[in-house]
Amino acid sequence: MAGPAEARVTEAAAFLRSFTQGAELEPSRVAVVLDRAATSLASVALPSAAAANVQDAVRFELDRLFPFSPESLRWACTKRQMGTLGERIGVTVFAAPAAAVDEAAAIVREAGLPISTVTVEPAVLADYLALVGLPLAAVATRSGDREYLTL
């Protein structure tokens, strides 16, 4: 959709509201999954000592990982052990422009739907796994205390 953000939000929210009413859906929770084209992905290896404070360690690295100012991003990350001795952790960072995140959330809110989370992780992980050739039919991810299954 082209045009000013306010017009895009209004038009998309009207479509979403019409769709949910037409399909007789009454969602109690909605996960907003951002378009992969609006997101960036980066990886960084950190000492395992940073595992307890991975958010702070990543925040310190954001300006090196992405060509955008850290203040203009909304981001999340996942971590995994690296190596056989567990001396390092691998961190995958998912980021999107704050304006894109805020607009997507505004569409869902204006449609009158309750947002439980805004994420890009399932879509990005599915794209990444397809890129590296892993033949998975579904990707299970966890964000905070919530679990997601992307088919």
Side-chain angles (χ1 to χ4, degrees):
M1 285 182 271
E6 187 175 305
R8 287 193 309 266
V9 167
T10 300
E11 183 180 349
F15 172 80
L16 184 56
R17 192 172 28 257
S18 173
F19 174 80
T20 55
Q21 289 170 349
E24 298 181 0
L25 298 174
E26 295 182 24
S28 59
R29 296 184 324 180
V30 175
V32 178
V33 179
L34 297 174
D35 185 340
R36 174 62 181 103
T39 62
S40 298
L41 176 70
S43 295
V44 64
L46 299 171
S48 60
N53 300 311
V54 73
Q55 297 283 333
D56 292 333
V58 168
R59 188 173 291 109
F60 183 75
E61 297 285 335
L62 284 175
D63 59 344
R64 188 180 66 78
L65 296 173
F66 299 105
F68 313 104
S69 72
E71 297 77 27
S72 70
L73 296 174
R74 301 281 190 264
W75 59 276
C77 60
T78 61
K79 64 183 176 183
R80 65 194 178 289
Q81 290 295 322
M82 292 180 68
T84 56
L85 300 176
E87 66 278 2
R88 301 198 51 83
I89 57 170
V91 181
T92 303
V93 185
F94 311 96
V101 174
D102 296 345
E103 185 172 317
I107 291 167
V108 176
R109 278 192 207 97
E110 189 168 316
L113 302 172
I115 298 175
S116 63
T117 190
V118 177
T119 187
V120 69
E121 294 173 30
V124 172
L125 285 173
D127 286 353
Y128 174 74
L129 292 172
L131 174 71
V132 297
L134 292 178
L136 296 177
V139 177
T141 59
R142 175 177 293 184
S143 181
D145 63 348
R146 298 183 190 267
E147 294 181 355
Y148 303 92
L149 182 64
T150 303
L151 303 175

